[in-house]
Amino acid sequence: MGDFVMELWAFMKERKKFWLLPIIIVLVLLGSLIVLTQGSAVAPFIYTLF
């Protein structure tokens, strides 16, 4: 996983695509939110946000 992050950072640094960083962060946060709340009592409240 660390190699992937370093390679992604090197790509964004070389190609000057720093605008991708907020998109990636939001996607990771939403993905982890869905994974962590799966099967819990909080899930119905999370899904009302979307």
Side-chain angles (χ1 to χ4, degrees):
M1 187 64 180
D3 292 336
F4 174 72
V5 172
M6 294 303 294
E7 187 175 337
L8 184 63
W9 176 250
F11 168 77
M12 289 191 303
K13 188 174 162 184
E14 184 176 327
R15 304 273 191 211
K16 307 286 191 252
K17 303 237 183 237
F18 294 112
W19 55 270
L20 286 173
L21 193 60
I23 296 171
I24 293 170
I25 290 172
V26 168
L27 286 175
V28 167
L29 288 175
L30 286 176
S32 63
L33 181 70
I34 290 172
V35 167
L36 292 176
T37 60
Q38 183 127 10
S40 71
V42 183
F45 301 109
I46 298 295
Y47 291 128
T48 60
L49 296 175
F50 303 105

